[in-house]
């Protein structure tokens, strides 16, 4: 039941940041909200930032999981992706020149969040809960057919089986893709931090250690709350590296 509790906590806490909606009402007034606009509203495209603003940074298109099994093949960027990363590099260079620490940290946080929850990954924490619920219902249905015998242990056994199966699904379809995306995109970010020099060796080493710890935490035999802890450790490390590369 500890595993099931861990999965429940993860699903409740590990939700993505709310989406921002840009829309115009019937009177022609523009609105920016975190809730969907009314049915009669005109939905607008999110405006690209013309320059770096305090606490904000443009976001390049996040690379998805590589076809290579270990996800470490050299990233092949399309012209649009290359242009987006170069634009981010220029924005970060401007923020660095102005001493804008908030923007540098925001770029790290934004990229990590996109790697974690983009392209439908935001829905995956529900899968282990569905596994627990379905296996629990199956155990309850089988227990109803028993005239005598231990019904409660049967239901509990199926719930634990569902928790174990849900944990495998969580690792295979959420943690592993997240770990691959984070490593691919953050290694690419190391080349687009708005500096004219490479990372210091000690920073490169500690980031590589964080990537490896993240990949180990995504293995099936790890407890479900270890991976979010490693993500938070990586987030804090990347912020420090971004400010002082």
């Amino acid at each position: 039941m500890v595993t099931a509790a861990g999965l429940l906590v993860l699903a409740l806490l590990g939700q993505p940041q709310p989406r921002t909606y840009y829309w115009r009402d019937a009177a022609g007034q523009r609105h920016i909200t975190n809730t969907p606009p009314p049915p009669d509203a005109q939905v607008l495209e999110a405006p690209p930032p013309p320059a770096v603003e305090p606490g904000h940074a443009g976001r390049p298109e996040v690379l998805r999981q590589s076809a290579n099994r270990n996800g470490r093949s050299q990233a092949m960027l399309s012209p649009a992706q290359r242009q987006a990363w170069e634009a981010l590099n220029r924005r970060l260079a401007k923020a660095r020149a102005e001493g804008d620490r908030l923007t540098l940290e925001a770029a790290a946080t934004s990229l990590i969040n996109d790697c974690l929850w983009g392209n439908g990954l935001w829905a995956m924490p529900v899968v282990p809960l569905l596994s627990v619920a379905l296996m629990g219902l199956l155990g309850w249905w089988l227990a109803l057919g028993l005239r005598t015998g231990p019904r409660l242990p049967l239901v509990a056994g199926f719930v634990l089986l569902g928790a174990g199966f849900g944990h495998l699904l969580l690792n295979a379809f959420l943690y592993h893709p997240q770990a691959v995306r984070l490593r691919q995109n953050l290694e690419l970010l190391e080349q687009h931090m708005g500096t004219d020099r490479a990372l210091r060796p000690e920073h490169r080493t500690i980031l590589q250690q964080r990537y490896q710890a993240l990949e180990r935490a995504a293995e099936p035999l790890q407890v479900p709350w270890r991976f979010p802890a490693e993500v938070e450790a990586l987030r804090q490390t990347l912020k420090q590296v971004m400010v002082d590369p």
Side-chain angles (χ1 to χ4, degrees):
M1 296 302 292
V2 174
T3 303
L7 297 177
L8 177 60
V9 171
L10 175 69
L12 293 177
L13 298 182
Q15 298 298 321
Q17 298 298 319
R19 176 181 173 184
T20 301
Y21 296 89
Y22 299 82
W23 52 281
R24 182 182 291 112
D25 60 23
Q29 185 176 359
R30 292 170 57 91
H31 299 270
I32 302 177
T33 63
N34 288 329
T35 57
D40 59 344
Q42 178 186 0
V43 179
L44 306 175
E45 293 291 335
V52 176
E53 301 176 0
H56 297 274
R59 295 184 293 182
E61 181 180 350
V62 172
L63 301 184
R64 301 189 185 186
Q65 184 175 353
S66 171
N68 189 307
R69 179 173 298 180
N70 58 21
R72 298 180 188 175
S73 59
Q74 181 67 28
M76 300 297 294
L77 301 181
S78 67
Q81 289 174 327
R82 190 178 301 110
Q83 183 178 7
W85 280 100
E86 290 173 354
L88 176 65
N89 188 65
R90 292 191 296 269
R91 294 187 186 104
L92 294 180
K94 180 178 179 181
R96 201 174 297 282
E98 296 174 352
D100 189 353
R101 179 180 181 134
L102 290 178
T103 295
L104 297 174
E105 292 181 347
T109 298
S110 177
L111 184 58
I112 288 178
N113 288 339
D114 283 350
C115 292
L116 290 175
W117 305 114
N119 303 115
L121 289 182
W122 59 269
M124 291 309 299
V126 179
V127 173
L129 293 181
L130 291 176
S131 175
V132 172
L134 290 176
M135 293 302 292
L137 288 174
L138 179 59
W140 173 76
W141 179 75
L142 292 175
L144 289 179
L146 296 178
R147 296 182 179 179
T148 59
R151 294 184 176 182
L152 183 59
L154 179 63
V155 175
F158 270 83
V159 169
L160 290 176
L161 184 62
F165 186 57
H167 180 55
L168 294 177
L169 293 174
L170 191 72
N171 284 86
F173 296 103
L174 181 65
Y175 287 167
H176 179 68
Q178 286 179 336
V180 172
R181 289 188 188 187
L182 283 168
R183 182 161 194 161
Q184 285 182 330
N185 287 277
L186 296 186
E187 285 182 343
L188 194 55
L189 178 63
E190 293 174 17
Q191 307 170 28
H192 299 84
M193 285 190 171
T195 64
D196 55 358
R197 66 181 191 278
L199 284 181
R200 285 185 284 179
E202 58 269 26
H203 284 172
R204 175 66 177 165
T205 298
I206 191 172
L207 283 176
Q208 287 296 319
Q209 292 173 348
R210 292 298 185 198
Y211 301 150
Q212 294 168 6
L214 203 64
E215 291 167 354
R216 289 193 297 270
E219 295 175 355
L221 297 182
Q222 299 295 328
V223 294
W225 48 84
R226 180 180 172 185
F227 187 86
E230 292 294 347
V231 170
E232 184 59 28
L234 174 62
R235 190 191 306 272
Q236 297 305 320
T237 299
L238 184 61
K239 285 184 179 181
Q240 296 173 5
V241 173
M242 283 290 293
V243 173
D244 184 20

